[in-house]
Amino acid sequence: MPVGTDSQHHGYISDKDDYLSRMKRIEGQARGISKMIDDEKYCIDILTQVSALTRALQGVATGLLDDHLKHCVLDAAKLSDDEAAKKIKEATDAINRLVRS
């Protein structure tokens, strides 16, 4: 089975509404940046908004990673060392992707 496609509930499920709300705000920020570019606003003002958008996305990513560690990894560790190792590898790979981005 591919990674992340299991049918169990994921750690973020209790915060799902919060994550969806945050993503809606992020969508609005992205649309605002597009409008700033379309309106030919000052480049530094646009970069400031891009930085804020980046921080908002990083906040979502680190929250999801925290939920993954507290729930998915912990649950896997209760099953077996092999399952825990798989989930830790997933987390490590995700961290590496975040650091590179």
Side-chain angles (χ1 to χ4, degrees):
M1 179 181 329
V3 173
T5 60
D6 52 337
S7 61
Q8 72 183 19
H9 291 289
H10 301 287
Y12 65 84
I13 198 72
S14 62
D15 295 323
K16 180 179 173 181
D17 290 340
D18 179 54
Y19 281 116
L20 289 172
S21 175
R22 292 167 72 180
M23 290 306 300
K24 287 183 191 301
R25 282 194 304 273
I26 288 168
E27 288 175 33
Q29 284 179 285
R31 282 191 302 276
I33 292 169
S34 294
K35 183 168 179 3
M36 289 178 77
I37 293 169
D38 190 45
D39 293 345
E40 299 177 8
K41 297 295 183 183
Y42 185 54
C43 52
I44 296 301
D45 293 339
I46 297 169
L47 287 169
T48 298
Q49 293 307 309
V50 168
S51 178
L53 178 61
T54 300
R55 284 191 310 275
L57 282 170
Q58 287 171 340
V60 169
T62 56
L64 287 169
L65 181 59
D66 184 60
D67 287 337
H68 179 71
L69 293 172
K70 288 179 179 174
H71 299 281
C72 302
V73 174
L74 187 59
D75 290 347
K78 292 174 185 175
L79 294 175
S80 73
D81 289 346
D82 287 341
E83 290 299 314
K86 288 177 192 175
K87 292 297 181 184
I88 290 170
K89 170 96 170 76
E90 284 178 350
T92 300
D93 292 346
I95 292 167
N96 284 329
R97 286 189 300 273
L98 286 170
V99 170
R100 284 194 305 263
S101 61

